[in-house]
Amino acid sequence: SSEVLEAIENVIQGVLQSLAQKKAPVLTVANRTDWRNIEFKDSVGLQMIPGCTTRQIRSDCPQSAKRFALTLKILSMIYKMVQSNTYATKRDIYYSDTLLFRSQSVVDQIINDISCMLKIPRRSLHVLSTSKGFVAGNLSYTDEDGTKVNCTCSATVFTVPSNVQGIKNLTSHAKFILIVEKDATFQRLLDDDFFSKVSPCIMITGRGIPDLNTRLLVRKLWDSFQIPIFTLMDADPHGVEIMCVYKYGSVSMSFEAHHLTVPSVKWLGLLPSDLERLNICKDALIPFTKQDENKLASILKRPYIACQPLWKKELEIMAASKLKAEIQVLTSLSSDYLSRVYLPNKLQFRGWL
């Protein structure tokens, strides 16, 4: 906490020095969303380069003066929270003055900018985000407030903790972790009692694009148990993108790559080649939209695809067919095909990439 307070004090000191010299204060933040500031490292994923380009939030410019003021406002709120050892969610910060902040996304962007500017993970700033992910299966842990959470006893779904850093005493006999793209598939596997029938496992879903807490939990489970992590995604560009976020990270959070990415993640399904192998009827597949074509073209150009020739082959099958499929397409073979046949065979015969 002293490190966080000192970092904020340094920023404020810089503002005061500028004012003393009768200069307009300026905040300098990294260009977090620029691919030119990103390098790919096989062992880490997408990370920000040391000498990356920056942008200035000026106090004397009409376009950025409000942003400057809001950044100082949120810095002061963080400072007070760290001092008093209290926490707030991003929503709490927004609702503390909705007229001032105008939108939740403004608060979210500024908090990420502050985290990047101070080079301090968001969790250490005492800012939490509300979790949307779920976890179930062979796992128990103690929450930061001392509550014992046991996911193993039942088919109950638990929300991913909002302070993943604070959980401890993680225990599990799981043989693997299964990341499921969608909530509906996750619930279906729970109903079929998949995690205890096939072999003990931990199941997680970020319910689409994962939030920070879900990514932190996947990383924490990997650090704790070092067991295989498989992904179950739709066979479409959006599903591939989500899987890449878990494995290699995202451009906007590349400054935190070391805490968030799990490069050992494997693609279990649904593979584009599976659709042909299982003789899935063409009528059950969905034609590409222009957006799908653009997304796939963008993924194929990314630096990490070059070191994944088997992934590239699958993406090329998808690009050639211009067809996509949701995991639910397997119900056209039988209602419980996913949990009874598809996943057990994939796991037994090492059908992952």
Side-chain angles (χ1 to χ4, degrees):
S1 61
S2 60
E3 188 190 325
V4 181
L5 297 175
E6 195 183 325
I8 295 172
E9 285 162 9
N10 288 340
V11 171
I12 302 306
Q13 209 168 354
V15 171
L16 292 173
Q17 276 170 354
S18 295
L19 291 169
Q21 292 163 7
K22 297 199 165 33
K23 289 180 187 168
V26 169
L27 297 174
T28 304
V29 295
N31 281 325
R32 290 186 296 111
T33 53
D34 192 336
W35 272 95
R36 288 170 298 182
N37 285 333
I38 309 299
E39 63 177 359
F40 170 66
K41 221 176 180 181
D42 209 10
S43 59
V44 181
L46 300 175
Q47 62 177 7
M48 196 170 267
I49 57 172
C52 66
T53 60
T54 55
R55 59 191 168 84
Q56 291 189 326
I57 304 172
R58 301 191 61 85
S59 59
D60 61 346
C61 169
Q63 284 85 9
S64 63
K66 182 165 185 187
R67 187 70 165 219
F68 180 90
L70 292 180
T71 305
L72 289 192
K73 166 78 174 166
I74 292 176
L75 273 170
S76 79
M77 293 173 84
I78 290 168
Y79 192 86
K80 283 175 192 159
M81 288 192 298
V82 176
Q83 263 190 329
S84 58
N85 197 25
T86 54
Y87 288 81
T89 64
K90 293 187 295 182
R91 270 192 104 52
D92 294 334
I93 291 173
Y94 168 60
Y95 280 111
S96 70
D97 198 334
T98 51
L99 285 175
L100 177 69
F101 293 120
R102 294 288 173 90
S103 84
Q104 180 70 60
S105 64
V106 167
V107 172
D108 296 355
Q109 286 165 17
I110 290 174
I111 287 166
N112 284 342
D113 277 345
I114 288 172
S115 176
C116 186
M117 178 173 69
L118 301 179
K119 295 184 172 53
I120 288 169
R122 199 172 72 193
R123 304 165 298 295
S124 303
L125 301 176
H126 287 227
V127 179
L128 305 173
S129 50
T130 313
S131 296
K132 68 180 178 102
F134 291 146
V135 60
N138 197 293
L139 174 69
S140 58
Y141 58 85
T142 308
D143 222 332
E144 54 160 343
D145 61 2
T147 310
K148 287 185 167 55
V149 178
N150 192 347
C151 312
T152 313
C153 293
S154 61
T156 311
V157 168
F158 290 87
T159 304
V160 168
S162 57
N163 187 359
V164 174
Q165 201 181 19
I167 68 174
K168 48 190 183 291
N169 305 329
L170 285 88
T171 55
S172 176
H173 302 294
K175 297 285 183 279
F176 61 91
I177 296 161
L178 182 66
I179 300 171
V180 183
E181 178 186 347
K182 283 183 177 161
D183 192 19
T185 310
F186 183 83
Q187 297 291 347
R188 180 66 212 239
L189 290 172
L190 273 181
D191 294 344
D192 291 349
D193 201 16
F194 171 76
F195 67 80
S196 56
K197 269 183 190 165
V198 176
S199 116
C201 74
I202 299 166
M203 291 200 319
I204 292 179
T205 179
R207 299 162 78 199
I209 295 168
D211 60 356
L212 196 66
N213 294 329
T214 304
R215 290 173 63 189
L216 282 167
L217 182 61
V218 171
R219 177 59 197 242
K220 190 166 186 113
L221 292 173
W222 164 247
D223 288 339
S224 303
F225 304 123
Q226 300 279 309
I227 52 178
I229 301 180
F230 301 116
T231 56
L232 180 62
M233 306 279 150
D234 287 341
D236 66 11
H238 189 64
V240 174
E241 171 96 283
I242 289 169
M243 175 173 58
C244 291
V245 168
Y246 283 107
K247 187 175 174 76
Y248 295 123
S250 59
V251 175
S252 63
M253 293 300 289
S254 58
F255 63 95
E256 268 213 62
H258 287 270
H259 308 288
L260 292 172
T261 60
V262 186
S264 61
V265 162
K266 302 279 188 287
W267 188 3
L268 187 68
L270 187 63
L271 302 178
S273 60
D274 289 340
L275 303 174
E276 204 174 317
R277 185 174 59 81
L278 298 171
N279 288 322
I280 301 288
C281 173
K282 281 267 163 72
D283 295 344
L285 304 180
I286 308 159
F288 260 26
T289 62
K290 188 71 189 147
Q291 201 179 0
D292 291 325
E293 285 182 44
N294 294 341
K295 171 73 75 185
L296 187 54
S298 147
I299 293 169
L300 278 162
K301 285 184 200 148
R302 290 187 195 166
Y304 43 70
I305 296 300
C307 69
Q308 289 284 358
L310 296 176
W311 282 29
K312 194 175 182 199
K313 210 170 162 183
E314 292 293 332
L315 298 182
E316 283 166 353
I317 291 171
M318 202 190 288
S321 72
K322 291 195 176 175
L323 293 168
K324 58 184 181 177
E326 297 185 331
I327 298 161
Q328 284 85 340
V329 79
L330 296 176
T331 56
S332 66
L333 302 172
S334 78
S335 62
D336 60 350
Y337 191 85
L338 176 66
S339 57
R340 186 176 54 83
V341 182
Y342 182 81
L343 288 175
N345 282 349
K346 280 265 178 177
L347 294 162
Q348 188 182 344
F349 299 111
R350 301 175 67 84
W352 56 79
L353 303 177

